[in-house]
Amino acid sequence: MHRDSKIISTHAGDSVTIERDIDFGNVVGRQVIQFSPYCGTYGQGGPGFVGFKLKAHGERPEEWLILCLWCSDDWLTVNGRWLGAHPDQYGTQKPMISNFSGQKWDEFTPLVVGSAVGQFDVEEKSCEIRIGEAHIVLSDDPNDRPPYLAGKLRELMVGDDLRRAWILASAPWVQV
């Protein structure tokens, strides 16, 4: 990937397998059994990849569906609300999840855990997912996302393709 890409390259660590070039249609119908906005690791912390643990189905084992964008919860909206944002932006819009000291809540996990993926459409610069009552969108319009804290728009780079940003992994701690 290009060095300015917003999509973060990952590799399998110890006992972790990764599948790229996902058949997104095979994700539809699978039940979400866990959610985490803290997937991925670089050894001393994490990149904040959003991940959905999917229940085993047919010949597919339990596995994690992971979006490999740094702080990927800050790229997504759920039912028109930001999934995540920096605490200094909470006055603009309260996100669905927060894990900052003194400001902890999670209005998202109950919407998706126990529900099946009803829609999973991924294009080059956008994606749309429905899991239970959650309509999750990464819009192709950067104005629909929380901006970076300094105000710059959160934009994908030329050559970035969200179809390469989603992976299936046997565990949430994929290496970056």
Side-chain angles (χ1 to χ4, degrees), residues 89-171:
Q89 295 171 308
Y90 291 177
T92 303
Q93 185 179 129
K94 180 183 175 186
M96 299 285 295
I97 57 176
S98 174
N99 193 30
F100 289 93
S101 180
Q103 299 182 78
K104 296 182 181 195
W105 63 82
D106 184 349
E107 299 173 31
F108 179 70
T109 300
L111 291 177
V112 296
V113 170
S115 296
V117 177
Q119 175 186 359
F120 196 87
D121 295 324
V122 182
E123 302 295 330
E124 181 181 358
K125 302 290 185 195
S126 66
C127 64
E128 184 175 4
I129 307 160
R130 291 187 188 270
I131 304 172
E133 297 298 315
H135 181 216
I136 306 158
V137 174
L138 195 160
S139 172
D140 58 357
D141 183 353
N143 291 298
D144 293 341
R145 308 176 198 129
Y148 289 106
L149 190 55
K152 185 177 176 187
L153 291 179
R154 197 173 295 273
E155 297 182 87
L156 292 167
M157 304 304 291
V158 172
D160 281 348
D161 188 333
L162 288 174
R163 293 170 288 203
R164 292 190 318 256
W166 287 96
I167 62 170
L168 288 169
S170 61

Side-chain angles (χ1 to χ4, degrees), residues 57-75:
H57 179 73
E59 297 195 14
R60 300 296 312 194
E62 282 188 359
E63 56 196 342
W64 284 84
L65 175 66
I66 300 173
L67 176 57
C68 298
L69 293 172
W70 202 274
C71 294
S72 54
D73 61 332
D74 289 356
W75 288 77

